[in-house]
Amino acid sequence: MITSIISWIILIMTYAMGKKLFKEKRHARIWFVVFSIISMVLSVLYAFDKNLVMVTSRIESIFAPIARMVIQ
Amino acid sequence: MKTRISNLQLTLLTANFITASTLLVMPQAYLDLSLQNTWFVPFLWFLLTTLLITTAFVGWNKIETLDFQSDETRSSRTGQKLLAILMILFLMFILIRDLRAFTDFTGTALLELTPQPVIIFTSLICLLYLVWLGFEVIARFNDIYFSLLFIIILFLPLLLLNEIDMAKLLPPLQINAVPSILQTTFVGLAWVGELVIIFLFVGNVQPKSDVRRSVIWGVGLAVIFIFILLGSIISVLGSTLARYTVYPSYILVRQINITDFLDRLDLLVVSFWIPAIFSKMALTFYGIHRSFNMLFGTDTKIFLVPLALIIGFLSMMMFGNNISHFYFSIYVWSTLGLLLEILIVAVFMWIVRKERLAQSRDG
């Protein structure tokens, strides 16, 4: 429920910023749209109880062994 | 108008950036490794960080200016864009990690019934407001809260005088404790080295020639801060108890009781500590915002809202629970953070060198 509300807030904010947005340079507008889409995708994933623990685990599998080697 | 901060503000920003969230998450890990000798580790961090800063600023005084916000900088755009990419990666990890640490702390110690997304998104609204107002406002906000927090921490041993037991510091610095002290130094070095964020703002400091000294002073303040806090934790709680405590710094300030009626001074300390954490997170967020502007060659604030939402969702989705966040903070960040910091220092030195060559060529 909360995430749905948040998703809607994103949409409203995107719309509200529209007026300012059209005064920006073209590539700034493109990146704004890209970031908005990413945040919306994340909000939908969160709404369906998906997480990114797999990504964190992958990062851990690369870097944690070095630290563990030093500490042990 | 170009933003300007003083050398004192740079010193306070550096000190706050090192201490604010480090003391929330890390004391337990440090105490678990070095036990009663942990108080000595900040001095080793100071030596290593001073070395890092001195190396990074080689040739700094020979260049006229280095402002990543303006077109006056003559060094290669490739170097600036590379620095921006590294900074985005580095600062995104810091902000996601700190926001989650703050949420976990608030959810565990202060607002137990408040749902995690509510804490995260209300915090992000405060951060957005600070970042929207700009770098000078963040610096002034930091001046007020870090100074007050530092004064309170200086008086902490006095406030805890009736609880301190010096016997808990024994035996100090035995020869067989050296490996564990070095291990703790390694684990905490990436956290102290986070001060490399200041490379993004060195162009805004006036006068430019004292930047290196100001940063070293900032590290010095942070080291005194951490030393007092770790020393107090060991002498009040004892390393054996503190190593199994999730938030030993918070438990420590709860031990303050002057007579029978002044026993909730922890609320006063926390009310300065939380804004100090917000100051760090705001500076991190501002750093991400400026790095994106450097990368895209723009000067706009329109990325802030979607970026805040991305950071909020990532801080909830990247860590399964508090333990995985804690594991990330110790095992992953000590290596990943250090690697990114070394790369950032190398790129910054390259930019300074290029700038120096370009300026001497131009006459």
Side-chain angles (χ1 to χ4, degrees):
Chain A
M1 181 65 188
I2 292 167
T3 45
S4 308
I5 295 166
I6 290 164
S7 310
W8 278 103
I9 291 170
I10 303 166
L11 287 169
I12 293 163
M13 280 179 171
T14 313
Y15 178 75
M17 290 183 82
K19 203 175 169 184
K20 190 177 181 294
L21 194 64
F22 289 116
K23 291 175 189 166
E24 299 290 344
K25 287 181 187 170
R26 188 169 164 268
H27 57 287
R29 292 203 303 262
I30 293 168
W31 282 109
F32 174 77
V33 173
V34 170
F35 288 146
S36 299
I37 292 169
I38 294 170
S39 58
M40 279 184 233
V41 169
L42 286 172
S43 73
V44 172
L45 284 174
Y46 187 72
F48 287 99
D49 270 345
K50 304 285 178 199
N51 59 38
L52 300 173
V53 177
M54 282 293 284
V55 179
T56 320
S57 307
R58 186 54 61 89
I59 298 169
E60 277 174 12
S61 66
I62 299 167
F63 293 102
I66 304 166
R68 226 181 283 121
M69 198 171 66
V70 175
I71 291 169
Q72 280 167 3
Chain B
M1 202 176 75
K2 205 171 176 181
T3 49
R4 288 268 173 254
I5 61 163
S6 67
N7 280 291
L8 178 65
Q9 285 179 312
L10 181 69
T11 303
L12 296 176
L13 279 172
T14 310
N16 187 56
F17 208 81
I18 295 171
T19 50
S21 58
T22 308
L23 294 171
L24 193 66
V25 187
M26 295 308 280
Q28 192 264 342
Y30 300 153
L31 287 157
D32 190 38
L33 285 169
S34 292
L35 296 172
Q36 76 277 7
N37 301 310
T38 316
W39 58 267
F40 181 71
V41 180
F43 299 108
L44 295 177
W45 289 332
F46 180 73
L47 287 177
L48 292 169
T49 319
T50 308
L51 188 72
L52 183 90
I53 294 298
T54 313
T55 314
F57 282 105
V58 168
W60 171 252
N61 286 335
K62 289 178 187 163
I63 57 172
E64 289 165 25
T65 178
L66 185 69
D67 189 356
F68 298 125
Q69 268 184 315
S70 73
D71 295 328
E72 289 166 28
T73 306
R74 281 167 274 195
S75 62
S76 68
R77 289 278 161 211
T78 322
Q80 289 192 32
K81 289 201 188 304
L82 191 60
L83 185 70
I85 292 167
L86 284 170
M87 279 289 183
I88 290 166
L89 200 62
F90 178 65
L91 297 176
M92 284 285 266
F93 271 120
I94 293 180
L95 189 54
I96 290 165
R97 184 205 68 196
D98 283 353
L99 192 60
R100 182 57 184 260
F102 173 72
T103 317
D104 288 346
F105 169 70
T106 315
T108 311
L110 302 172
L111 304 169
E112 289 167 24
L113 300 175
T114 311
Q116 191 191 51
V118 176
I119 301 173
I120 285 192
F121 285 101
T122 45
S123 307
L124 278 171
I125 290 168
C126 296
L127 291 182
L128 262 175
Y129 177 66
L130 269 173
V131 176
W132 205 278
L133 292 174
F135 180 50
E136 284 176 348
V137 174
I138 297 170
R140 284 197 290 270
F141 179 81
N142 184 72
D143 289 351
I144 298 167
Y145 284 103
F146 182 75
S147 306
L148 289 169
L149 183 67
F150 189 74
I151 292 166
I152 291 174
I153 295 296
L154 277 182
F155 283 101
L156 196 62
L158 206 64
L159 295 169
L160 288 161
L161 208 58
N162 54 343
E163 301 284 339
I164 287 176
D165 177 8
M166 295 305 276
K168 286 175 179 163
L169 289 161
L170 299 172
L173 303 176
Q174 292 167 301
I175 194 75
N176 58 1
V178 173
S180 67
I181 290 173
L182 294 177
Q183 286 168 351
T184 315
T185 310
F186 170 76
V187 170
L189 194 59
W191 286 74
V192 181
E194 282 172 13
L195 63 93
V196 295
I197 188 180
I198 54 106
F199 294 151
L200 275 178
F201 311 116
V202 284
N204 299 92
V205 184
Q206 232 18 312
K208 182 182 110 355
S209 56
D210 288 335
V211 166
R212 180 169 51 188
R213 200 183 307 157
S214 305
V215 177
I216 293 172
W217 267 101
V219 179
L221 280 183
V223 162
I224 293 168
F225 192 117
I226 299 172
F227 165 72
I228 293 174
L229 208 77
L230 288 175
S232 303
I233 291 174
I234 298 165
S235 56
V236 173
L237 301 176
S239 54
T240 322
L241 176 67
R243 68 189 296 206
Y244 297 114
T245 311
V246 184
Y247 299 114
S249 314
Y250 179 62
I251 302 291
L252 177 79
V253 294
R254 289 187 70 173
Q255 302 301 313
I256 301 172
N257 59 326
I258 305 163
T259 70
D260 288 338
F261 63 96
L262 271 176
D263 62 347
R264 288 311 304 269
L265 284 177
D266 55 305
L267 292 174
L268 181 76
V269 180
V270 171
S271 64
F272 290 116
W273 193 3
I274 288 177
I277 296 170
F278 266 87
S279 168
K280 179 188 175 179
M281 290 197 290
L283 186 67
T284 316
F285 195 6
Y286 184 81
I288 296 169
H289 156 66
R290 189 180 274 194
S291 303
F292 270 116
N293 276 331
M294 261 167 74
L295 188 64
F296 302 145
T298 53
D299 185 17
T300 174
K301 288 175 181 168
I302 60 162
F303 304 134
L304 283 177
V305 176
L307 267 178
L309 290 162
I310 290 172
I311 288 160
F313 281 115
L314 285 178
S315 72
M316 287 189 289
M317 294 164 78
M318 273 184 69
F319 307 105
N321 50 40
N322 295 11
I323 301 299
S324 68
H325 173 262
F326 191 66
Y327 187 84
F328 179 88
S329 302
I330 298 166
Y331 290 99
V332 180
W333 190 245
S334 56
T335 320
L336 173 63
L338 203 60
L339 179 74
L340 286 169
E341 284 155 15
I342 291 167
L343 286 173
I344 287 169
V345 169
V347 173
F348 180 76
M349 286 172 72
W350 179 48
I351 292 173
V352 170
R353 190 172 173 275
K354 282 268 204 183
E355 186 71 18
R356 204 177 64 211
L357 290 175
Q359 287 183 6
S360 62
R361 197 172 49 236
D362 292 354

